[in-house]
Amino acid sequence: MTNLVTYTLDGNVATIAMDDGKANVLSTAMIGELNEAFDKAEKDEAIVILTGRDGMFSGGFNLKEMQAGPKEAMTLTSLGSKLARRILEFPRPVIALSTGHTIAMGAFLLLACDYRMIADGEFKIGLNETLIGMTMHNFGIELGRYRLAKNYFNRCVINAEIFNPKGALHAGFIDRIVATDQMPMAANLAGQMFGQLNMTAFANTKKRSRKEIFAILDQAIKDDLDPEKIHAV
């Protein structure tokens, strides 16, 4: 790891923390380090807690890379999609501990995790793609369709509505709101709770129950790299 991602193992729980000192944007470098951290967690057979820094989980993709050109945007989007897809199938539980603002690809990381908590505060959570002039990629649409509450799908994916933690709970981005001073304790308790599971049964059930969505997401990742399908209506 370098300055972007840290990996800490405590017993059978690995904490993977993003911190670029700013918005925790998902750049090529950040995604690469996150994959390295998940490689290590998989080798350690660890339950994962994915978190950010105080006030910021992730502000989404690195816009400088996204605006460098169509090819660069497609490549970065694909890397982010593949990371979320990996988390969705990770053989151990992945617990998101959002420490603050969680926007765009940051919110998709939440949707990929098995259990999602967020600090209580004046934080923004949501998918702002159509708000900033980006057509939502196929992977994002399908992951949102799979994990968001059905009656919130249009509001989140098409209307780009941004929520506070309470609204994000109703929309399906998160499972629990935690008082800021209780976040460390909540992370420990969640790790202990998931640690009681039989991990073979957990991994097999997770993979079996998500078989159909994996096929859909894999096709979406391919479509997002096809210029003809990207521009097709």
Side-chain angles (χ1 to χ4, degrees):
M1 303 302 104
T2 65
N3 293 328
L4 298 178
V5 175
T6 57
Y7 180 92
T8 306
L9 183 65
D10 183 6
N12 67 336
V13 178
T15 298
I16 297 175
M18 301 176 284
D19 188 356
D20 65 3
K22 298 179 182 179
N24 280 353
V25 293
L26 290 156
S27 60
T28 300
M30 175 75 84
I31 293 170
E33 291 190 26
L34 285 169
N35 273 310
E36 289 178 15
F38 274 96
D39 287 342
K40 191 167 180 57
E42 191 162 2
K43 183 178 179 181
D44 290 335
E45 299 184 341
I47 294 167
V48 172
I49 294 176
L50 179 62
T51 191
R53 63 181 183 80
D54 288 346
M56 178 64 67
F57 182 71
S58 173
F61 282 125
N62 184 320
L63 290 182
K64 288 185 178 180
E65 288 190 48
M66 292 293 286
Q67 295 168 355
K71 182 178 179 180
E72 289 80 1
M74 283 194 299
T75 299
L76 185 59
T77 299
S78 184
L79 289 174
S81 297
K82 290 174 181 175
L83 173 61
R85 165 68 168 77
R86 178 182 188 178
I87 292 171
L88 204 65
E89 195 178 13
F90 196 73
R92 294 290 188 274
V94 181
I95 303 162
L97 188 67
S98 177
T99 46
H101 301 299
T102 308
I103 299 295
M105 190 62 218
F108 283 122
L109 291 185
L110 280 189
L111 293 177
C113 293
D114 299 301
Y115 190 71
R116 296 83 43 88
M117 298 184 287
I118 190 168
D120 192 9
E122 295 301 316
F123 301 125
K124 296 179 179 180
I125 304 96
L127 307 172
N128 69 342
E129 278 80 355
T130 63
L131 185 66
I132 62 174
M134 295 176 64
T135 299
M136 182 69 76
H137 57 313
N138 291 292
F139 180 90
I141 290 170
E142 297 304 335
L143 181 57
R145 198 192 312 277
Y146 176 65
R147 297 281 344 238
L148 291 168
K150 186 176 181 180
N151 60 321
Y152 275 82
F153 176 82
N154 285 355
R155 293 172 64 178
C156 297
V157 176
I158 300 174
N159 299 352
E161 189 170 342
I162 303 300
F163 302 91
N164 61 19
K166 185 176 180 180
L169 179 68
H170 291 301
F173 285 105
I174 57 174
D175 300 299
R176 182 183 172 194
I177 301 170
V178 180
T180 302
D181 61 353
Q182 295 179 8
M183 289 288 275
M185 183 188 346
N188 290 334
L189 290 175
Q192 292 174 20
M193 177 183 71
F194 279 98
Q196 296 176 21
L197 298 175
N198 179 292
M199 290 303 161
T200 299
F202 172 87
N204 289 340
T205 302
K206 185 176 182 178
K207 190 170 184 177
R208 179 179 292 178
S209 65
R210 294 176 176 175
K211 182 179 179 180
E212 291 184 2
I213 190 60
F214 288 148
I216 292 170
L217 294 177
D218 289 342
Q219 185 59 53
I221 290 172
K222 292 180 182 178
D223 290 345
D224 286 331
L225 287 172
D226 186 337
E228 292 185 6
K229 291 186 178 181
I230 288 174
H231 297 295
V233 178

